[in-house]
């Protein structure tokens, strides 16, 4: 699932492809807002994105990421 994170005063949104369910992502954001800490989200490759929770403007969930186009070979 793709999660787009809008950040206040930033021209572009962050896009994270993750296996985490939307309810869990929202619970993580709510917890970070309550604790006045960083909102962190880890993508499907193990990379972590961290944003100050009070600077998150919106979250957009897109369950259909579609087929990825490219010429690289992937190993399973």
């Amino acid at each position: 699932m793709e999660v787009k994170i809008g950040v206040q005063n930033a021209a572009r949104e962050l896009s994270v492809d993750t296996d985490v369910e939307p309810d869990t992502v929202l619970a993580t954001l709510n917890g970070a807002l309550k604790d006045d800490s960083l909102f962190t989200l880890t993508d499907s490759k193990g990379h972590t994105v961290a944003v100050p929770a009070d600077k998150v403007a919106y979250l957009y969930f897109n369950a259909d990421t579609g087929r990825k186009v490219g010429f690289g070979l992937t190993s399973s």
Side-chain angles (χ1 to χ4, degrees):
M1 169 182 52
E2 179 184 26
V3 179
K4 292 183 180 180
I5 305 168
V7 181
Q8 295 176 12
N9 302 320
R12 296 181 65 186
E13 62 193 10
L14 299 171
S15 180
V16 180
D17 186 23
T18 184
D19 298 327
V20 180
E21 293 295 320
D23 292 338
T24 305
V25 174
L26 290 173
T28 303
L29 177 59
N30 285 332
L33 285 168
K34 185 185 291 186
D35 297 339
D36 194 29
S37 63
L38 291 175
F39 167 63
T40 59
L41 185 61
T42 303
D43 69 7
S44 54
K45 294 182 181 179
H47 302 108
T48 301
V49 173
V51 178
D54 62 341
K55 299 298 180 189
V56 174
Y58 64 88
L59 296 177
Y60 176 77
F61 300 98
N62 186 7
D64 182 28
T65 57
R67 215 171 63 115
K68 297 193 183 210
V69 178
F71 296 101
L73 296 175
T74 59
S75 60
S76 298

